Amino acid sequence: MTAIQETPKHQKAKALKPGSRRPAKELCSECGLCDTYYVHYVREACAFINQQITQLETQTHGRSRNLENEDDLYFGVHQTMMAARKKQPIEGSQWTGIVSSIACEMLTQGIVEGVVCVQNTKEDRFQPMPVIARTPEDILAARVNKPTLSPNLSVLEEIEKSGMKRLLVIGVGCQIQALRAVEKQLGLEKLYVLGTPCVDNVTRAGLQKFLETTSKSPETVVHYEFMQDFRVHFKHSDGSIEKVPFFGLNTKELKDIFAPSCLSCFDYVNSLADLVVGYMGAPFGWQWIVVRNETGKEMLDLVSGQLDTQPVDSEGKRQQAVQQSIPAYDKGVTLPMWAAKLMGVVIEKIGPKGLEYARFSIDSHFTRNYLYVKRNHPEKLDAHVPEFAKKIVEQYELPK
Ligand code: FAD
Ligand code: SF4
């Protein structure tokens, strides 16, 4: 006699309608979970309703981060960190294309059957379109950042229905927190997670405002990055690079563009991915790799022959610069462009580099976000801010 298979409870749930208010309300980062029947788990899974990084670190890596070890405190559980770049960069990728290369290898070597990643729509280069890639061409079509909130998890329902058993998901922290929380419900034999750090994301409308306020030619920007030389680098469609110093940004105008989810996020470094590929802990032009566990090592090993690598380094002292930036940001101070340029040049020469630059960026964002949650969602402050972030923020004096 064959056993009658009970339909899992979540399959009876219904995705929320597009545009309807999400359970996390204004803090929703549009991660995509609520666009699927996994909305059934939203109260436990949503990164903005139930912050549970410590428990999920233990579930994923076998331990949570050691708050007494500075590298763990800042960068999360890891086996190794390094700087790397592709010997032959992928044209049109965000940096050198390490993320796309790993995903292509995993697919072509048959390690996974599909890759969750995000392409853009035909009409708009920055409008995210999550897909399950099944060919290297699909993966390459997803290269380069879509610097907007992206519902990557909206394709999860398709995965369970397709019967896929081995999957790679590429995503940012809030997406990966929700993914880890429902991982056991996906019916997979093996899930691989390749993360990028993420900060200061925006809605598509917010992005437009940022481009129009900051770039001389907003309509030709193909990608941009907040670089380690304290400038925003805009790459234009003709290949030219426009550089605007951070200190010259119109803070007053731009304060409202960041999504409330990103102003209350403390998972900059994507704590729950197996492998993280960013740039901020590496020298200019290099990418920063954090191998969190054995699965992450397995993924990185697939491309080791394609990479130049060097050890991570750290130089300078960040604390004073962070402390000074707190009230300046809070009051929305904008320097005249000549002063901003000068300050950028000085800071680039004497300012923090390598891992110290990464700590500078983490400290600046965590202090800003702590103040945001304290002022706008005081009832959430204690449970929502992880212990590691509280410890980082405690180093600074914050305005009321
Ligand atoms: P590529 O080979 O070009 O591949 C990029 C991959 O990113 C693609 O697979 C695509 O599916 C995925 N992707 C693109 N947009 C999104 C999105 N919105 N949500 C989820 N996945 C997406 N690194 C830092 O060190 N410090 C930062 O402050 C930082 N901020 C970031 C902010 C955002 C919004 C994003 C998306 C990334 C950020 N990163 C940051 C990561 C960094 O910019 C690069 O994405 C990373 O180094 C990989 O580069 P690559 O050339 O290997 O990627
Ligand atoms: Fe749902 Fe994700 Fe929004 Fe939370 S962040 S409410 S899980 S879509």
Side-chain angles (χ1 to χ4, degrees), residues 16 22-25 27-35 39 42 45-49 153 174 178 261:
L16 299 185
R22 296 318 201 215
K25 303 187 183 120
L27 291 186
C28 173
S29 69
E30 298 171 26
C31 77
L33 189 85
C34 294
D35 304 331
V39 64
V42 63
C46 176
F48 302 95
I49 298 177
L153 302 187
C174 54
S261 54

Side-chain angles (χ1 to χ4, degrees), residues 2-138:
T2 46
I4 300 171
Q5 289 257 317
E6 239 191 90
T7 314
K9 275 200 189 125
H10 61 254
Q11 292 188 4
K12 293 182 190 151
K14 279 233 162 359
L16 299 185
K17 291 207 174 81
S20 65
R21 195 153 166 83
R22 296 318 201 215
K25 303 187 183 120
E26 70 277 18
L27 291 186
C28 173
S29 69
E30 298 171 26
C31 77
L33 189 85
C34 294
D35 304 331
T36 71
Y37 51 45
Y38 295 102
V39 64
H40 179 75
Y41 301 107
V42 63
R43 298 262 151 219
E44 302 102 80
C46 176
F48 302 95
I49 298 177
N50 182 30
Q51 182 280 120
Q52 48 173 339
I53 296 177
T54 301
Q55 295 89 312
L56 291 173
E57 276 180 338
T58 307
Q59 173 189 304
T60 307
H61 311 307
R63 70 171 180 92
S64 63
R65 68 182 79 188
N66 174 1
L67 303 191
E68 302 309 318
N69 172 313
E70 209 197 21
D71 280 351
D72 249 38
L73 175 72
Y74 271 85
F75 310 125
V77 174
H78 60 280
Q79 295 183 344
T80 46
M81 286 192 269
M82 69 189 75
R85 63 181 179 204
K86 284 213 66 197
K87 289 175 182 157
Q88 287 176 324
I90 297 181
E91 175 66 33
S93 59
Q94 184 69 18
W95 278 80
T96 70
I98 294 178
V99 167
S100 299
S101 303
I102 292 172
C104 286
E105 285 302 325
M106 292 186 75
L107 201 59
T108 49
Q109 294 191 27
I111 296 164
V112 293
E113 296 152 277
V115 177
V116 174
C117 52
V118 52
Q119 300 176 348
N120 56 284
T121 60
K122 276 202 185 74
E123 303 75 41
D124 180 351
R125 67 200 185 288
F126 288 132
Q127 184 67 47
M129 188 176 77
V131 296
I132 306 170
R134 290 168 190 267
T135 64
E137 291 72 33
D138 291 345

Side-chain angles (χ1 to χ4, degrees), residues 263-264 266 369-378 381 384:
L263 291 170
S264 40
F266 297 90
N369 289 9
Y370 186 87
L371 274 177
Y372 179 85
V373 178
K374 188 173 166 204
R375 287 169 181 169
N376 295 282
H377 301 277
L381 190 70
H384 182 68

Side-chain angles (χ1 to χ4, degrees), residues 143-160:
R143 70 196 189 281
V144 80
N145 291 358
K146 294 10 152 227
T148 45
L149 301 178
S150 172
N152 281 26
L153 302 187
S154 60
V155 296
L156 281 192
E157 216 177 291
E158 264 176 70
I159 286 156
E160 199 178 0

Side-chain angles (χ1 to χ4, degrees), residues 375-388:
R375 287 169 181 169
N376 295 282
H377 301 277
E379 74 295 346
K380 287 179 79 74
L381 190 70
D382 193 41
H384 182 68
V385 183
E387 290 309 309
F388 64 82

Side-chain angles (χ1 to χ4, degrees), residues 146-209:
K146 294 10 152 227
T148 45
L149 301 178
S150 172
N152 281 26
L153 302 187
S154 60
V155 296
L156 281 192
E157 216 177 291
E158 264 176 70
I159 286 156
E160 199 178 0
K161 287 179 183 156
S162 74
M164 211 176 260
K165 293 293 173 206
R166 283 166 288 115
L167 181 74
L168 168 66
V169 176
I170 300 172
V172 298
C174 54
Q175 299 158 358
I176 301 308
Q177 275 191 62
L179 175 74
R180 288 298 191 192
V182 301
E183 177 176 353
K184 294 201 173 73
Q185 316 299 334
L186 301 175
L188 296 171
E189 280 162 16
K190 179 76 183 168
L191 171 68
Y192 294 83
V193 179
L194 177 47
T196 67
C198 181
V199 81
D200 289 349
N201 217 339
V202 289
T203 59
R204 183 64 186 85
L207 174 64
Q208 203 56 36
K209 184 167 176 192

